[in-house]
Amino acid sequence: MAQVSNKKVILNDYVSGFPKESDMNIVDSTITLKIPEGSNDVVLVKNLYLSCDPYMRTLMSNPEGSINPRAYTPQSPIAGYGVSKVLESTHKDYKEGDLVWGITNWEEYSLIPAAQIHFKIEHTDVPLSYYTGILGMPGMTAYSGFFEVGSPKKGESVFVSAASGAVGQLVGQFAKLHGCYVVGSAGSKEKVDLLKNKFGYDEAINYKEEQDLDAALKRHFPEGIDIYFENVGGKTLDAVLLNMKIHGRIPVCGMISQYNLTQHEGVTNLAHLIYKRIRMQGFVVVDYYHLYAKFLEFVLPHIREGKVVYVEDIAEGLEKGPAALVGIFKGQNVGKQVLVIARE
């Protein structure tokens, strides 16, 4: 069986502080497009779309002392969510030609354990890249975090940080569909315009232009916040705690403001959790994948009818991977950052 070229993105070494493109390297290698004899429950895939996600930064740190005990292995390919096409399989659930999404390596072709595949793709009348976003991990994160952890009621007031990102843009739209008042924060005029004009947010805050975030929140939520969908942590969380209502809920999805700091910021207003009886709960999307079929039933009709929209920021080619991944920590992406490896 002939060997084919297989470019990879490898992590040079553990990262401290903000990641740089030079922390990763594009290397040329080869692969035989045949599963080795005696390999059980593995799948050979051609990677089509790769997902750039904030949690990946936590995997770049030395696992000793990291918030994420798992870590990438230096001098090996980084891995993340992706959409792939099955070339060969020794697992009964997958066959040649199947389209799947799950965890794959940042390379053109991957030989992965079948357990890393989360779901087979059944609906192809929507863009395949959506399975890195609205129909993949970020969509499930928004759905489970808002509905399952946030327990929203019609008419409640919702604040979303990192509101134009892969998850935030969906939380806002889901909240509006549920009959809530929704305000989001983002870091540029372009993103603020997107929140109000594309995603249907009632109001939006450019946090980089606000001298006093507490005052800005009081302006938009004079009676307080029922649900804060937490994506950033740090000073934003501190200001939000001052503005939560009694029995408010805070689903904690991420804290992107802290991932690149060698010394994490403290939060000073935690006593408000007590007196306001606030429920602040961290969650991880893998705990909710059993709801995936229910989620598709909910979201696919909305996508097809144009009631939920999704904005992607597309980078073409594996070579653009390091820049695309680093860019999400500088706020350079507008919408969900996707890396296209091959269009089928």
Side-chain angles (χ1 to χ4, degrees), residues 69-98:
R70 297 178 301 131
Y72 295 138
T73 304
Q75 295 303 310
S76 295
I78 64 174
Y81 283 91
V83 173
S84 311
K85 185 174 187 176
V86 175
L87 301 181
E88 192 184 359
S89 169
T90 59
H91 189 281
K92 61 180 174 55
D93 290 347
Y94 307 107
K95 65 182 187 304
E96 182 184 353
D98 284 347

Side-chain angles (χ1 to χ4, degrees), residues 232-236 255 257-258 261-268:
V232 302
K235 295 180 178 66
T236 299
M255 293 197 171
S257 73
Q258 305 300 298
L261 302 181
T262 50
Q263 186 67 47
H264 294 147
E265 294 173 327
V267 177
T268 60

Side-chain angles (χ1 to χ4, degrees), residues 3 12 32 56 91 103 106 116 131 163 176 178 185 202 214 236 246 264 277 293:
Q3 289 193 323
N12 292 327
T32 302
M56 295 169 73
H91 189 281
I103 300 293
W106 276 38
Q116 286 183 200
Y131 289 90
K176 287 304 297 177
H178 202 65
S185 68
D202 293 294
D214 174 35
T236 299
I246 288 175
H264 294 147
R277 284 84 94 193

Side-chain angles (χ1 to χ4, degrees), residues 301-336:
H302 289 314
I303 294 172
R304 290 170 180 144
E305 293 165 21
K307 290 180 179 173
V308 170
V309 295
Y310 201 61
V311 171
E312 297 176 309
D313 196 326
I314 303 286
E316 296 271 357
L318 201 60
E319 299 82 0
K320 299 280 180 63
L325 184 55
V326 168
I328 66 176
F329 300 104
K330 299 176 180 175
Q332 290 174 352
N333 58 304
V334 178
K336 167 67 192 169

Side-chain angles (χ1 to χ4, degrees), residues 243-295:
N243 291 278
M244 291 296 294
K245 284 186 184 177
I246 288 175
H247 298 301
R249 285 86 69 206
I250 304 178
V252 183
C253 172
M255 293 197 171
I256 195 170
S257 73
Q258 305 300 298
Y259 294 159
N260 299 307
L261 302 181
T262 50
Q263 186 67 47
H264 294 147
E265 294 173 327
V267 177
T268 60
N269 294 320
L270 287 173
H272 286 259
L273 295 175
I274 306 164
Y275 302 111
K276 293 177 179 174
R277 284 84 94 193
I278 296 164
R279 175 164 56 82
M280 185 172 178
Q281 180 180 340
F283 72 99
V284 179
V285 67
V286 295
D287 294 340
Y288 295 93
Y289 279 147
H290 64 282
L291 299 175
Y292 187 61
K294 181 182 172 188
F295 166 65

